[in-house]
Amino acid sequence: AQTVTQSQPEMSVQEAETVTLSCTYDTSESDYYLFWYKQPPSRQMILVIRQEAYKQQNATENRFSVNFQKAAKSFSLKISDSQLGDAAMYFCAYRRSSNQFYFGTGTSLTVIP
Amino acid sequence: GAVVSQHPSRVICKSGTSVKIECRSLDFQATTMFWYRQFPKQSLMLMATSNEGSKATYEQGVEKDKFLINHASLTLSTLTVTSAHPEDSSFYICSAPGVRGRYNEQFFGPGTRLTVL
């Protein structure tokens, strides 16, 4: 079974600063994808960034980047130049090749003005 | 772009009644859809995979007789919570795989908040 662990239930960052959210996962599969999703109070899941496991290069999306360490099964999210609108619940997610998602427990991010 | 809708967005029911939640892919077809459950301040837990034209596949620990899933068409999956009890109160989210640009992506519905009195 796939398990996804987020060890930081809450994090805070000063506006314009950088914050890193941690995620580890466990799997025996070789073909999978990793994601970070943001869930604001509306509860709508918003895709932040994706990483294909077969790609060694770390994904980047504007102010968001990941540090993907496949051997260590680690997938952290770095948010640069944090903005007030970044405040939300962040979920790390593992997606199987058959499209099922398994989510971590989430990290609640607070951005301090 | 691809959109997934859910209906109703909120439902309140009495204990012992059954509640049906619909999940629709609005402008694309989905042979599979997924149902998740989220308790307050907790993660999304995959409940089952809904398969068009065949039986749903349930995750370990999910009661298939309690949570009935029907994938009636390529754009509609329904989740029926049978004989609902207060402990079934939760936020239910569906998703469907689609394509955005050159990527395969998962599209999530806005969720349904179920409250069982």
Side-chain angles (χ1 to χ4, degrees), chain A residues 48-74:
Chain A
V48 174
I49 198 165
R50 67 166 61 80
Q51 174 79 44
E52 293 91 339
Y54 64 87
K55 287 188 177 179
Q56 292 185 335
Q57 187 174 5
N58 289 324
T60 61
E61 195 72 39
N62 300 316
R63 296 183 296 108
F64 301 89
S65 62
V66 299
N67 183 5
F68 174 45
Q69 301 290 326
K70 190 171 183 179
K73 295 181 181 174
S74 169

Side-chain angles (χ1 to χ4, degrees), chain A residues 33 35 37 39 41-45 47 50 52 55 89 91 95 98-106, chain B residues 32 34 36 38-44 46 49 59 91 93 97 102-106 108-110 113:
Chain A
Y33 295 77
F35 298 80
Y37 279 89
Q39 189 181 45
S42 68
R43 297 280 202 121
Q44 178 70 56
M45 298 295 283
L47 175 64
R50 67 166 61 80
E52 293 91 339
K55 287 188 177 179
M89 196 75 174
F91 291 101
R95 195 197 88 189
S98 49
N99 275 313
Q100 289 97 341
F101 273 74
Y102 298 90
F103 291 87
T105 48
Chain B
T32 57
F34 303 92
Y36 299 84
Q38 185 178 30
F39 290 109
K41 297 188 178 182
Q42 293 190 25
S43 185
L44 284 75
L46 177 64
T49 302
E59 294 295 299
F91 195 70
I93 300 174
R102 59 188 176 96
Y103 289 110
N104 293 323
E105 191 170 317
Q106 194 80 198
F108 288 85
R113 183 179 302 281

Side-chain angles (χ1 to χ4, degrees), chain A residues 72-93:
Chain A
K73 295 181 181 174
S74 169
F75 182 63
S76 62
L77 173 70
K78 185 170 82 172
I79 306 174
S80 304
D81 186 26
S82 297
Q83 300 176 0
L84 295 178
D86 295 334
M89 196 75 174
Y90 284 81
F91 291 101
C92 177

